[in-house]
Amino acid sequence: QSFKLLGFLDVKSVPCSRESVLYGSVGSLVVGLGHFLATSRVRRSCDFAVGGFICTMLGYWFYCRYNLAQHRIQQRMLKEGMRNKILFEGSSLDPERKQTGNEGSNS
């Protein structure tokens, strides 16, 4: 089953959304409870808990999406490198091919 946050964000299908909501919940609990234990003010602690949820969720969201983008770039580079390796293997353009004395010198 899918779970929609705020009616439009499908937590199951969007990358990083599930972890962001979970870490945001934990951040909310820690910040709100910590503020309550320090001040014993319930309403202000709830405000801090909501702020902690938003900050933690957005912070982890950007962190996770940045890592996901880097991972996809690395995958694309690796795929292209493998394609080039297969394409140029054994040809004169192969950088790993050892050049013999007659092939590499024009003097």
Side-chain angles (χ1 to χ4, degrees):
Q1 282 187 353
S2 72
F3 171 72
K4 294 197 179 214
L5 185 66
L6 300 175
F8 65 90
L9 179 63
D10 190 8
V11 175
K12 186 177 180 181
S13 64
V14 177
C16 299
S17 61
R18 179 180 179 269
E19 291 86 4
S20 296
V21 171
L22 291 175
Y23 281 117
S25 300
V26 171
S28 166
L29 182 69
V30 168
V31 170
L33 189 61
H35 190 270
F36 177 74
L37 291 175
T39 63
S40 296
R41 296 174 66 186
V42 176
R43 181 170 170 84
R44 183 83 179 226
S45 297
C46 289
D47 293 341
F48 269 80
V50 170
F53 174 78
I54 292 170
C55 290
T56 307
M57 186 181 75
L58 289 178
Y60 187 76
W61 170 268
F62 287 121
Y63 169 77
C64 182
R65 294 296 287 200
Y66 177 75
N67 283 341
L68 185 64
Q70 276 192 332
H71 184 69
R72 286 182 179 167
I73 289 170
Q74 288 174 350
Q75 280 182 331
R76 192 177 314 126
M77 288 174 53
L78 185 61
K79 185 187 268 185
E80 187 174 329
M82 289 172 58
R83 186 180 305 125
N84 287 341
K85 172 73 174 166
I86 293 170
L87 185 64
F88 296 129
E89 189 173 29
S91 72
S92 61
L93 299 173
D94 188 3
E96 293 182 5
R97 184 175 179 195
K98 303 281 188 215
Q99 297 205 1
T100 60
N102 293 339
E103 290 177 356
S105 63
N106 290 334
S107 52

